[in-house]
Amino acid sequence: MFKKLRNRFLIVNLVSISIMMLVAFATIYTITYQNVQRETNMELYKVSDFYHGPYNSSKMPRNEDGFSGVSGSGTSGTSGASGASGIGSPPVGGLGENGGAMGEDPNSPPARSVSFMIQTDRDWKITNTHSRFDMDATFYEEALGKIDQDKLSGGNRQTGQFALDSTEWAYVVDSSSNGYMIVFIDVTAQQSILTNLIYTFAVVGLVMLIVIYFLSRYFANRSIRPVREAFEKQKQFIADASHELKTPLAIINTNADVLLANSEDTIEHQSKWLHYIKSETERMSKLTSSLLYLTEIDDSRSTMIHAKFNMSEAVETIILTMEAMIFEKNISLDYSIEPELMVHGNNEQIKQVILILLDNAVKYAKSKGAVNVTLKKQNNEVVLAVSNTGEGIAPEHLERIFDRFYRMDASRARQHGGHGLGLAIARSIVDQHKGQIYARSVVGEGATFYVRLT
């Protein structure tokens, strides 16, 4: 059951985080894409404005192929379509063939862009070209063939992108009365940014999901552990309570059968069975009262009224009420109580704790043993210690003796009339007062219970 609960928690957690990551990555990618497109269009329009402005195509010389082949002062030896595909942005202010500054040519487009221009007539036949690099006619024809000519109508300006020889190009087409002017710029770097962004998102997202899975699994196990422990304790509590009630009910039922079998006999002769029934009824009554008291303590933690009271007087009162019983059992009592020690809490509940600890010390003290009670102040705390001489408590039982219905020796506890609820009640009260209760013991010598309050 708890494994299924953990797996459902993991699935819900991973799906929720995956959706949030996808939304975040999509948002970042969309914003980056829009910024890249905006910058690309701005650069494209700047280059286009250059070709429409200071550049005069009529003054450009024609090359041997019949096209205007003005090349800027780029690095020599880069020619043909293959040379265009490997173009990189030449540095601003680089040196040309004669050692002159590249950025000084008024007939060249902005130096930071790798660009070229094609002019065509209305039938899309090339009439003029311009480039800062040596390119052959085949490259211009291939670039012109990538344009969707059917979408251009009237005086509309058309933009687009295409890949040619492993290079990404963006273009803008401007129509005129004589034909068309198409300006191209290299946007490989911008497209690489977007591609790398997708790869980065994929890798980071996968790594984060793996990390989140193991973190979620760890915290899911930690979150479910208290629920599992509470569930197991609840099951154990029901089993123990059922067992505690089953025994007296069986005794009552048996004694009732004996009475019914001898219905003609007098009550005086049957009084023994009636006493058994009454004894077990009282035992059940104590058990239910203890369970109800525990429930009331848990429910009233936020409403219980606390005030300053004299802890020294409370301990002395409980000792006086039990002095006769201790004397009857031939157990010596020794106590040391510092006077006027004040504690913030509920007087009656703290008396209940003192009574439980002292009653247990007397019950489990060995014959002609001793019980010792001390109350003193340590730093800012008031410390109550109740010890006895007896068999002691084994280390494996020290942590569990405060659990409900837990008893080290069930048969012996039954002889003393216990249900294993006293120490559970004491711990609930001390926890409500934000104090500490714990036990220390040496097997064969005795045990000491401590209560620390402020």
Side-chain angles (χ1 to χ4, degrees):
M1 180 180 71
F2 291 103
K3 189 175 181 180
K4 289 182 179 179
L5 181 63
R6 183 201 66 186
N7 291 339
R8 287 178 183 176
F9 173 81
L10 285 175
I11 291 172
V12 171
N13 194 39
L14 288 176
V15 169
S16 301
I17 292 174
S18 298
I19 292 173
M20 289 189 289
M21 288 175 61
L22 285 174
V23 171
F25 288 167
T27 303
I28 295 172
Y29 181 81
T30 301
I31 294 172
T32 305
Y33 177 82
Q34 291 175 347
N35 290 336
V36 169
Q37 290 299 110
R38 189 183 302 112
E39 292 178 2
T40 299
N41 290 335
M42 289 175 62
E43 185 69 19
L44 188 62
Y45 293 147
K46 281 183 181 179
V47 176
S48 178
D49 291 341
F50 163 79
Y51 285 113
H52 283 86
Y55 169 69
N56 187 349
S57 61
S58 62
K59 297 180 181 178
M60 306 309 297
R62 299 231 170 219
N63 59 22
E64 295 178 358
D65 298 320
F67 300 118
S68 176
V70 178
S71 63
S73 51
T75 304
S76 61
T78 306
S79 61
S82 61
S85 66
I87 294 172
S89 298
V92 177
L95 295 179
E97 294 178 359
N98 299 322
M102 292 175 60
E104 298 299 328
D105 187 357
N107 291 326
S108 295
R112 67 175 181 170
S113 62
V114 177
S115 62
F116 64 93
M117 180 274 292
I118 299 176
Q119 285 183 333
T120 69
D121 58 17
R122 282 291 171 182
D123 296 327
W124 294 94
K125 300 296 183 182
I126 299 177
T127 61
N128 192 15
T129 62
H130 179 272
S131 174
R132 299 176 62 245
F133 302 92
D134 293 333
M135 300 178 182
D136 60 15
T138 305
F139 181 79
Y140 293 124
E141 292 287 353
E142 290 178 354
L144 189 62
K146 294 287 185 177
I147 298 174
D148 190 356
Q149 301 171 2
D150 296 333
K151 288 186 178 180
L152 192 68
S153 60
N156 294 335
R157 170 178 271 191
Q158 177 189 346
T159 60
Q161 288 185 204
F162 63 86
L164 181 60
D165 294 335
S166 303
T167 304
E168 293 286 338
W169 297 94
Y171 66 87
V172 58
V173 181
D174 289 316
S175 61
S176 64
S177 58
N178 298 326
Y180 302 99
M181 176 184 284
I182 308 102
V183 177
F184 302 82
I185 64 170
D186 183 1
V187 292
T188 305
Q190 291 89 328
Q191 292 301 313
S192 297
I193 292 173
L194 296 175
T195 303
N196 291 335
L197 192 61
I198 294 175
Y199 290 149
T200 303
F201 283 165
V203 173
V204 170
L206 182 61
V207 172
M208 288 302 297
L209 284 177
I210 294 173
V211 172
I212 290 169
Y213 169 77
F214 287 104
L215 285 176
S216 298
R217 186 183 177 115
Y218 171 74
F219 286 110
N221 288 331
R222 288 198 62 180
S223 300
I224 291 173
R225 188 180 301 135
V227 179
R228 182 188 290 114
E229 291 175 357
F231 182 76
E232 295 298 332
K233 286 183 179 180
Q234 187 71 13
K235 284 176 60 178
Q236 187 64 37
F237 172 77
I238 293 171
D240 292 338
S242 301
H243 178 75
E244 289 293 334
L245 292 171
K246 182 179 178 181
T247 302
L249 284 173
I251 294 173
I252 291 172
N253 187 55
T254 303
N255 287 308
D257 288 339
V258 171
L259 290 173
L260 290 173
N262 299 279
S263 57
E264 296 179 357
D265 207 345
T266 62
I267 293 177
E268 184 180 355
H269 289 160
Q270 301 295 328
S271 60
K272 178 176 66 172
W273 314 114
L274 292 173
H275 284 306
Y276 289 159
I277 291 174
K278 187 174 186 302
S279 174
E280 293 303 319
T281 303
E282 290 175 352
R283 189 167 180 273
M284 288 178 61
S285 178
K286 290 179 181 179
L287 173 61
T288 53
S289 296
S290 297
L291 292 174
L292 288 173
Y293 187 72
L294 275 171
T295 305
E296 289 172 0
I297 291 174
D298 293 336
D299 291 340
S300 63
R301 288 189 176 185
S302 59
T303 59
M304 184 64 65
I305 298 174
H306 289 182
K308 284 280 185 180
F309 69 94
N310 194 319
M311 182 75 168
S312 302
E313 288 184 1
V315 175
E316 289 175 354
T317 301
I318 298 301
I319 290 175
L320 288 174
T321 58
M322 295 195 66
E323 214 167 16
M325 185 185 73
I326 295 171
F327 178 77
E328 251 183 55
K329 293 199 172 186
N330 199 20
I331 294 173
S332 65
L333 174 64
D334 186 22
Y335 56 89
S336 173
I337 301 172
E338 291 185 13
E340 302 301 325
L341 293 181
M342 305 300 293
V343 169
H344 185 79
N346 185 276
N347 189 10
E348 294 303 319
Q349 285 190 340
I350 295 301
K351 283 183 179 179
Q352 179 78 4
V353 173
I354 300 167
L355 180 62
I356 290 170
L357 296 181
L358 190 55
D359 183 58
N360 275 1
V362 173
K363 283 180 181 177
Y364 295 100
K366 64 183 179 181
S367 179
K368 296 183 181 180
V371 173
N372 185 278
V373 179
T374 60
L375 182 70
K376 59 184 177 180
K377 189 165 187 177
Q378 288 184 353
N379 299 325
N380 295 324
E381 293 180 322
V382 174
V383 181
L384 171 69
V386 180
S387 60
N388 69 348
T389 55
E391 295 180 3
I393 304 170
E396 62 269 20
H397 297 298
L398 282 175
E399 290 297 325
R400 299 195 60 193
I401 55 176
F402 295 100
D403 293 343
R404 298 177 183 184
F405 292 110
Y406 185 80
R407 292 173 297 191
M408 295 177 294
D409 188 347
S411 61
R412 188 180 174 201
R414 187 171 181 81
Q415 292 174 3
H416 292 292
H419 299 285
L421 292 175
L423 291 177
I425 292 172
R427 184 177 64 176
S428 294
I429 294 173
V430 173
D431 287 345
Q432 180 186 357
H433 286 73
K434 303 188 185 304
Q436 288 181 295
I437 182 170
Y438 56 94
R440 290 176 181 169
S441 177
V442 177
V443 177
E445 294 184 11
T448 303
F449 286 80
Y450 297 91
V451 176
R452 294 179 175 269
L453 299 171
T454 55

